Structure formats: structure tokens, C-alpha cells
Amino acid sequence: MSTENEGTAVPPAPSAPPVPVDAPAAPAPQGQPPQGQAPQGQASQGPGPYGQDPQGRSAHGQGAPGDAAHHGVSSSAPDPSWPPPPPPASPSYGHGGSGSGGWGSSYQQQPAPKSGRGRGGLVAALLVAALAAGGLGGGLGYTLAKNNDENSGSTTVSASTSGGDVKRDPGTVAGVAAKALPSTVTIEAESNSGEGGTGTGFVFDKQGHIVTNNHVVAGAVDGGKLTATFPSGKKYDAEVVGHAQGYDVAVIKLKNAPDDLKPLTLGDSDKVAVGDATIAIGAPFGLSDTVTTGIISAKNRPVASSDGTGSQASYMSALQTDASINPGNSGGPLLDAQGNVIGINSAIQSTGNGGFGTGQSGSIGLGFAIPINQAEYVAQELIKTGKPVYAKIGASVSLDDSSDGAQITDQGATPVEPGGPAAKAGLKPGDVITKLDDRVIDSGPTLIGEIWTHKPGDKVTITYERGGKEHTVELTLGSRVGDN
């Protein structure tokens, strides 16, 4: 439920009391001295609202299952729908106080001076003295300032350049952004029904292939409309070459692609370390060519996410970053400090609905990116065949929340595929897989995400429990073509 935060009404600051001025004394009866009176000060009234917070709302508008969602991800179970629940209310600004000392305190009336002989003349004399002193001080100040200007010139100091050295070093954020931005695009996808969304992509090769998220372009797969706009303003029609729903990776190709495309350099996500600097580029809430920075907060983070349209969940062993990622950042590059792509921004953890009038949640510093080593392999397969290829062990595992491991289910006709990798390794329904190589497995989605970081034909070591005893076996991963 969305919560609106409204500032408490605060009275305006009090106006200064009028300066007492003596009126000419009326002739007094003989024997009575004239009396001087000063007007009383009056408190300023009239409360007014001070700073209302807008409603909070959220990464390219897709929802998330479990804990993480595309642009609003959940990282627990794979199937929740978008949008997530609203975030807690933002802090309220301008809470006016009342009583003494605060902005809301009232200005107290000044007591009228007691009547006394010669009081009016004394007050007038003091006022004249004050005005004279003020005039003298003003005159001296003007004279000194005038002399200073004539003798020494302006006292301000101007920098030779604004914002530092105009030629920024390649290793700076500005240098990395300047080099990478021309190779990123803002993607607009529209389905046959007219529904659409905005995401991001980046140049993968000189042939015009652009890599992005599947959920960015999924609506335009069957006869929809796709466009890609560069920071220069040049806009191109595009078509989907291939998409992998499980990996949440897609490749589109520009129609009439220009000859001067500059693909971004791909890094090595396996060598990324926690604490490494990150730079994210995208179009949060449609604001194209936005650059944000952060660090790698964690690696191998199991994330199950969904676009909220009823499709199957996507699984990843993600790079976690605190760089600000919002709806519209999906599909954009996550760069290292040298400008190499280390991941594809895909999902965020969110607390609920949030601002900018979209009904989508926004960044709370928990963003997730598909490691580029995995995404590169998937993209190459999509370009070659138009279809994704998944590694598999040949067994069905439970997707229920768990912290004990991934249990091979005993449901269905063939929980363990006859002649498949798991069957050849001796795995049976009821076995609980607790490790894949050196990765701890705490649930089915975690196991799937880890398997999909590998390629078909890779050899892995499986640790599992059966009847209270631990066993270890080596198996060779099989392959599955397509999302079905």
C-alpha cells in the first residue's frame, strides 16, 4: 500500500515588531508631565504547509518473484508478480515545532514602556543616535569597499577551468562514461497491443547486434516494434535475433546499422572482487544515458526473477552492486573501473511501490547483474542459432524455499531423466544436493542458477545427502535447447 508523506503545517517566521515612534505630546494639564507610549509588537500568524514528500514508487518496469524482480527484483522464490509492495514512507520534511525556540514558536508581544517624564524625548534621541551610527557605518563601509576596488581589484578568485581538467583521464568515472556512452542505446519495445516499455542495451559487435535483457524486448518478440536510440539522438529500427527467457538475455539487431559502431570491451566477471568499483549506464524511468556508480557488493548471489507476466522465472548467480539501478536500467552494461563490461543489469531488490509517477519501485542499493561471462556465451548462441542452449543435470528439483539444499523431487513421471547426467551419476529422487563444486547450494533456484553459469559438457562435482550420509560424485553436464 502506497503511503503519502505530508509535511506538518508550520507558521511563517514572525515579522519584526514595528519600531516605537513618539507622537507629539498633547498639552498636559498643569502639574502633569507628558506621557510617551510605544506601540506593542504583534505575533505573526498564518500557518502554511512546508515541503510535502511525493509518493514513493520503482528497474525497467518488471516485477520480481520471491525476493528479486526485473527492475524490482526478489531474490527468494522465483514466481512473484510485479509490482512489488510499496516502500515505507519517506521522511517528512518541515515538521514545524511549537513553543519556545522552534520555527513554529510564536513571537511574544513586547511590553509597553512605563510612562515617565522625558521618556519620549529619550527614545527619540536614541533612535536618532542609532540612525546616525548606521549611516556612519554605511558610509565608512562604502568608502573602504570603493578604495579596495580601486587599489587592489576584485577579491574573488576564478578557476582557469570549470570542473577540473577538461581532458579527463581514462580511469576516471567521467573518462569511462565518455567512452562507453556512445556504445549504449535506449530501447523502446512495443507489443502488437500497443503496450510498451523502455530499457537499455549495448553494442556487442560491429554487425549491429545489441545485447539486452529478455524482459526488455519480450513484448515485441511476436510482431511488435523495436527501436534503439543512441546518445547522439540517432534512432534505428531493430528486430529480435534471439531471446533466452531462463537466462534473461536477448540479442537484437539494428536495421541499416551504421559502419562506425564501437562494441564495448567485455571483461572477465570471474575475476571481479567484492569492493571493486562499478559504473552502471541506463535509462532509469526513461531518463536516457544516465550514469551511476557503486561497488561490487557481493558475488554469486542466487536470484530468481520474473517480469510479472506469468512467464517462467529467470535464474542467475548474480553480481550484486549498490550502483543505483532503476526501471529502465535493465539490459544496460555494468562496467568496471576500466570501462569493461562485467555484467548486464537485470534486477533489483525492492521494498515496494515508489516514485516518479510510474507505480514501480526504485533502487535501495541492491542491484543484480548477469555475469558477462555467462551472458557472452548466451549471446553468441543466440546470434548463431536464434535459440538458447542450457546446461542441465537431468533431474527435477524442488523450488520451495529451503536452507538445507536442493532436493531432487519425487513428483512427476520422470524426476530423474533416464540416461541423463544425474542418472548416470547414480542420483535418485529424494537426494538433497548441498554443493556444486565449491558452491554451497541452499535451494533449487540456487542450484539452477549455478548450473547455468556453466556450459554443456562441463564436468562438475556434486555433493549430496542420502539417508543422513554425505556422498560426492562427478558428472558431465548435458544440454537443452530452447526455453520449453
Side-chain angles (χ1 to χ4, degrees):
M1 180 178 65
S2 175
T3 303
E4 183 174 17
N5 217 7
E6 192 170 325
T8 305
V10 180
S15 58
V19 178
V21 177
D22 283 309
Q30 190 172 3
Q32 292 185 5
Q35 296 182 359
Q37 291 184 347
Q40 294 180 345
Q42 177 64 42
S44 174
Q45 301 293 332
Y50 176 73
Q52 296 182 352
D53 282 345
Q55 290 184 357
R57 316 241 173 132
S58 146
H60 167 84
Q62 329 277 335
D67 297 322
H70 297 313
H71 316 230
V73 179
S74 309
S75 53
S76 54
D79 225 301
S81 61
W82 179 272
S90 305
S92 173
Y93 295 93
H95 279 80
S98 61
S100 61
W103 280 0
S105 61
S106 61
Y107 188 89
Q108 302 298 324
Q109 291 185 337
Q110 303 300 318
K114 296 180 180 180
S115 61
R117 182 176 301 183
R119 186 69 174 176
L122 176 60
V123 171
L126 290 175
L127 286 175
V128 171
L131 290 172
L136 177 61
L140 286 174
Y142 171 76
T143 302
L144 291 174
K146 185 174 183 296
N147 290 340
N148 186 58
D149 286 344
E150 292 175 350
N151 296 334
S152 60
S154 174
T155 58
T156 60
V157 178
S158 298
S160 57
T161 58
S162 177
D165 190 351
V166 174
K167 185 178 180 181
R168 286 160 178 101
D169 294 333
T172 63
V173 174
V176 170
K179 183 178 180 181
L181 275 168
S183 297
T184 62
V185 296
T186 298
I187 298 173
E188 294 181 3
E190 184 177 314
S191 66
N192 289 325
S193 63
E195 296 180 352
T198 301
T200 308
F202 62 92
V203 177
F204 187 69
D205 58 27
K206 293 184 177 181
Q207 286 69 48
H209 291 110
I210 305 293
V211 171
T212 185
N213 280 144
N214 171 72
H215 71 265
V216 170
V217 302
V221 168
D222 297 322
K225 182 180 179 182
L226 275 178
T227 60
T229 305
F230 285 85
S232 64
K234 292 183 178 180
K235 191 172 187 177
Y236 297 87
D237 290 331
E239 59 185 356
V240 177
V241 172
H243 62 106
Q245 186 276 326
Y247 289 122
D248 196 19
V249 174
V251 175
I252 66 175
K253 188 174 184 180
L254 304 179
K255 296 179 180 179
N256 302 314
D259 297 329
D260 58 350
L261 289 176
K262 295 181 179 179
L264 289 182
T265 303
L266 306 185
D268 186 347
S269 52
D270 289 340
K271 294 182 179 179
V272 170
V274 173
D276 282 351
T278 58
I279 301 170
I281 299 179
F285 296 103
L287 301 174
S288 301
D289 317 321
T290 295
V291 177
T292 56
T293 63
I295 62 169
I296 292 293
S297 304
K299 296 178 61 177
N300 308 118
R301 187 70 79 191
V303 173
S305 59
S306 170
D307 60 11
T309 62
S311 61
Q312 297 178 353
S314 301
Y315 300 94
M316 67 181 102
S317 182
L319 297 176
Q320 180 182 324
T321 181
D322 65 348
S324 183
I325 297 174
N326 287 287
N329 275 102
S330 282
L334 184 68
L335 310 172
D336 62 18
Q338 289 70 47
N340 305 311
V341 182
I342 54 175
I344 300 176
N345 301 317
S346 180
I348 59 173
Q349 174 71 44
S350 176
T351 57
N353 282 346
F356 231 61
T358 65
Q360 299 167 349
S361 57
S363 172
I364 58 172
L366 294 174
F368 304 99
I370 303 166
I372 194 59
N373 289 8
Q374 176 183 354
E376 180 183 11
Y377 161 73
V378 176
Q380 290 172 340
E381 289 296 321
L382 293 176
I383 292 172
K384 290 178 183 177
T385 67
K387 296 181 179 180
V389 179
Y390 296 90
K392 68 174 186 177
I393 63 171
S396 299
V397 295
S398 172
L399 299 180
D400 294 338
D401 289 338
S402 170
S403 59
D404 300 326
Q407 183 176 30
I408 298 178
T409 181
D410 55 3
Q411 304 296 319
T414 55
V416 177
E417 178 185 323
K424 291 180 179 179
L427 294 174
K428 299 179 179 180
D431 290 347
V432 179
I433 298 174
T434 57
K435 292 181 77 174
L436 189 151
D437 290 335
D438 59 349
R439 296 275 188 269
V440 174
I441 303 300
D442 59 4
S443 67
T446 300
L447 176 62
I448 295 172
E450 285 298 330
I451 290 174
W452 286 354
T453 64
H454 292 76
K455 301 175 183 178
D458 286 352
K459 291 185 178 181
V460 297
T461 299
I462 298 291
T463 301
Y464 67 97
E465 293 180 356
R466 179 190 296 169
K469 295 183 179 180
E470 185 175 271
H471 305 271
T472 300
V473 65
E474 187 179 81
L475 60 79
T476 301
L477 295 174
S479 65
R480 170 172 65 86
V481 177
D483 281 310
N484 298 322

